[in-house]
Amino acid sequence: PTLMLVCCSLLHSFYDRLGTIPRLLISVKSTYMKCKYQVHNNRFLQRSFCHVADKDENDLKVMFGDIVVYTGLQNADPCTARGCLWPKSSDGNVYVPYRISNEYSQRERDTIIQGLQSFSRCTCIRFTPRRNQRDFVDIQCRSGCYSFVGRRGNGQVLSLNRRGCVYHSIIQHELLHALGFNHEQTRSDRDEHVRILLQNVIRGTEHNFWKIQNSRNLGTPYDYNSVMHYGRYAFSSNGQPTIVPVPNPDVSIGRANQMSPTDILRVNRLYGCSTGMNWDCTYNPNWPAISKCQLKKTGY
């Protein structure tokens, strides 16, 4: 059975290059965590799905795939209902200090900065280099890709491992966690839009598919194209889907290369951005600029 699973995984890898089968899970063990690295999209991106660690790293525990919490902290209610938003400045912007570890190469650092600055083109969020602020996002190369949800106080780790996490969509994904957003498929209304097949989920990782009751959906529809949505084969134990869209099972999920218009809309609504418009930010890695945005004349 083990050999068959490996062969199936290799086939998934081959077909993923062709863009037909979107997921391959590779187990990676480290001193502190057991991670599932998920290869996805045609660029062979890897996203970490780290479940409960054998040993806590600085008393941290990773839940919901890439959301980190302090041990003992319950994760039952949406963080934003507990007052964990980043403060708004008198000029209407939300300044979020950050620090980037010197472990990254210049190219990796540039990619991270591109992801940080992409928010300023679409929202009132302004990620700014930390000076002497007490609270800040501390971007480090640790085991996998993960973040706290919302502002937690002091330097809160956001991990972007150099092997698989330094990509635009993943950087935006983890930064959205830091701003207070959970995964799309944890929404309170998710059962109307996707079916979770727990029988195909790796034993011991079922918590990654918990649903958040009374989630703050901000008056927005369920978004299959959200950069916060898991892929069809996330945490699969047998190569079979773990998430299937309903009523149309063929809808593509978990393949976003950047924030969707709905992701951007939610940031603007959550933080009360006063642009009065909805920005559509299109990222292209070939552009010398960070992103190219076109203003859509639709209110939010």
Side-chain angles (χ1 to χ4, degrees):
T2 301
L3 179 60
M4 290 179 63
L5 182 58
V6 171
C7 291
C8 289
S9 295
L10 291 174
L11 285 173
H12 277 293
S13 173
F14 171 75
Y15 284 112
D16 193 83
R17 289 180 182 270
L18 302 179
T20 55
I21 297 182
R23 293 292 181 265
L24 165 65
L25 294 178
I26 305 173
S27 295
V28 178
K29 291 185 178 180
S30 68
T31 304
Y32 300 107
M33 295 184 178
K34 291 181 179 179
C35 299
K36 293 291 177 182
Y37 281 96
Q38 182 181 38
V39 178
H40 79 122
N41 292 338
N42 296 333
R43 292 186 295 164
F44 246 36
L45 308 189
Q46 295 178 336
R47 291 176 62 180
S48 73
F49 288 100
C50 307
H51 51 89
V52 179
D54 291 330
K55 183 177 181 180
D56 290 331
E57 182 176 17
N58 297 331
D59 294 325
L60 301 182
K61 179 183 290 185
V62 180
M63 302 288 287
F64 292 98
D66 63 344
I67 296 176
V68 66
V69 298
Y70 286 108
T71 54
L73 178 66
Q74 298 303 312
N75 195 30
D77 298 318
C79 149
T80 52
R82 301 193 299 266
C84 67
L85 296 182
W86 294 85
K88 197 169 186 179
S89 177
S90 58
D91 65 4
N93 291 323
V94 177
Y95 295 95
V96 181
Y98 70 85
R99 181 175 68 185
I100 301 176
S101 169
N102 58 13
E103 300 172 85
Y104 298 100
S105 68
Q106 187 59 52
R107 182 176 180 179
E108 291 166 339
R109 187 179 183 88
D110 290 343
T111 300
I112 293 171
I113 292 175
Q114 286 179 343
L116 289 161
Q117 294 188 355
S118 67
F119 284 80
S120 67
R121 303 296 185 93
C122 318
T123 72
C124 62
I125 304 298
R126 302 289 183 269
F127 287 100
T128 57
R130 182 199 181 216
R131 294 185 178 179
N132 57 0
Q133 296 94 331
R134 187 198 68 173
D135 299 342
F136 64 99
V137 175
D138 195 4
I139 301 173
Q140 300 181 22
C141 177
R142 293 200 182 183
S143 300
C145 330
Y146 58 80
S147 173
F148 287 91
V149 171
R151 181 189 185 192
R152 293 297 177 179
N154 299 307
Q156 60 185 71
V157 172
L158 186 154
S159 175
L160 294 173
N161 191 279
R162 296 181 66 187
R163 296 186 176 183
C165 300
V166 186
Y167 292 96
H168 190 73
S169 61
I170 296 174
I171 295 165
Q172 286 188 335
H173 179 107
E174 300 305 338
L175 289 173
L176 283 169
H177 280 319
L179 290 174
F181 290 93
N182 285 290
H183 293 127
E184 186 71 6
Q185 74 281 347
T186 65
R187 281 174 53 128
S188 56
D189 63 349
R190 68 101 180 270
D191 293 335
E192 301 172 19
H193 306 281
V194 295
R195 185 160 52 98
I196 306 299
L197 304 178
L198 289 177
Q199 67 270 26
N200 296 331
V201 174
I202 297 170
R203 184 175 299 178
T205 66
E206 293 87 354
H207 57 268
N208 293 297
F209 297 89
W210 287 347
K211 180 172 64 175
I212 297 177
Q213 301 296 336
N214 301 316
S215 61
R216 294 187 67 185
N217 300 331
L218 300 169
T220 60
Y222 193 92
D223 185 11
Y224 294 117
N225 297 315
S226 171
V227 77
M228 304 303 287
H229 206 300
Y230 273 8
R232 189 179 300 266
Y233 299 93
F235 294 99
S236 177
S237 63
N238 54 14
Q240 297 301 309
T242 55
I243 306 177
V244 176
V246 293
N248 182 2
D250 297 324
V251 171
S252 177
I253 57 173
R255 299 183 66 85
N257 291 319
Q258 61 185 352
M259 290 188 292
S260 71
T262 302
D263 288 327
I264 296 166
L265 173 61
R266 289 169 184 162
V267 173
N268 286 326
R269 284 190 174 174
L270 183 62
Y271 281 91
C273 298
S274 59
T275 61
M277 297 287 183
N278 181 24
W279 290 84
D280 178 22
C281 295
T282 304
Y283 171 80
N284 187 322
N286 297 319
W287 287 331
I290 293 165
S291 62
K292 182 178 180 181
C293 304
Q294 296 177 336
L295 182 60
K296 287 188 173 181
K297 296 181 179 180
T298 55
Y300 65 83

